[in-house]
Amino acid sequence: MYPRRRLSPSRPLSYLQRRGVRSFQRVFGPRYPPYLGLTFLFGFFASIGFFAIRRESLGLGALSASAAVGLGTGFLPYFADDSLLPMPADASADEMMAARRRIKLADFLMVLGGLGVPSTYLVLGAVGFYATATFLFMGLAFYALAIFGTTAAVPCPTCGAVTLFRRYRNQPVCTRCGTRRRL
């Protein structure tokens, strides 16, 4: 029928009892800490890139092209990552087909963007490539921040573990098994 989905991360129920996780969730709510870490990591690489190109002059058109290719390619995993797709277990075949089409389109655009990043070296030179890579890391930071903001790490009664829940039609859905739950 459909190719098997990659499974989203899960942790044992004891994960929520860890001291660091409890204090993190006291501040941020039921969020999954690694995505905030990824946000800071990619943001750090983007800041290094901005520091590296700050003295170089890049025209507005070239900078716009670099930003479009880099930010777009960096943020596309938000739409292409099927392991974080909030699809309920009782979803209709039409909903599954629409989700698969969206994932295939995002995958195709990521391949184009992946080819576009190194090609900016040929078109815009080294400074244009650095700018595109900088915007790529910024897009990845926005992707990780968006996942951090839209995902809750709570126990799933069906999976028997702490899994990631994302909203699907205003209802939290487990990204592993598709169980709907009230948070």
Side-chain angles (χ1 to χ4, degrees):
M1 186 167 152
Y2 297 109
R4 186 176 170 152
R5 283 179 42 182
R6 292 179 302 132
L7 295 177
S8 68
S10 71
R11 302 285 180 140
L13 293 174
S14 62
Y15 174 75
L16 293 178
Q17 301 306 318
R18 290 183 185 170
R19 191 166 158 197
V21 173
R22 280 195 326 250
S23 45
F24 180 86
Q25 288 190 342
R26 244 183 272 129
V27 175
F28 293 104
R31 301 288 175 236
Y32 192 55
Y35 285 110
L36 187 60
L38 281 176
T39 300
F40 287 128
L41 179 70
F42 290 135
F44 172 73
F45 287 134
S47 66
I48 288 175
F50 281 123
F51 180 74
I53 63 171
R54 76 170 201 256
R55 296 190 182 190
E56 298 296 327
S57 173
L58 197 60
L60 184 61
L63 191 62
S64 299
S66 293
V69 170
L71 278 172
T73 304
F75 194 71
L76 275 172
Y78 182 80
F79 303 102
D81 191 357
D82 67 338
S83 69
L84 295 173
L85 182 68
M87 190 55 62
D90 59 349
S92 70
D94 291 338
E95 290 174 321
M96 290 297 286
M97 290 293 289
R100 290 288 167 201
R101 278 194 303 269
R102 185 187 86 192
I103 289 171
K104 284 182 182 179
L105 176 63
D107 285 342
F108 175 71
L109 292 174
M110 280 179 52
V111 168
L112 285 181
L115 294 173
V117 170
S119 68
T120 57
Y121 181 79
L122 299 173
V123 176
L124 303 173
V127 176
F129 173 73
Y130 292 144
T132 306
T134 298
F135 284 115
L136 175 68
F137 282 120
M138 189 189 311
L140 288 170
F142 287 145
Y143 155 69
L145 186 63
I147 293 296
F148 175 75
T150 61
T151 305
V154 294
C156 176
T158 306
C159 296
V162 176
T163 60
L164 303 179
F165 279 77
R166 294 190 63 205
R167 293 214 173 263
Y168 180 79
R169 297 192 179 174
N170 292 329
Q171 263 189 325
V173 174
C174 177
T175 56
R176 284 182 74 83
C177 65
T179 301
R180 297 174 194 250
R181 177 185 173 173
R182 288 191 162 272
L183 293 181

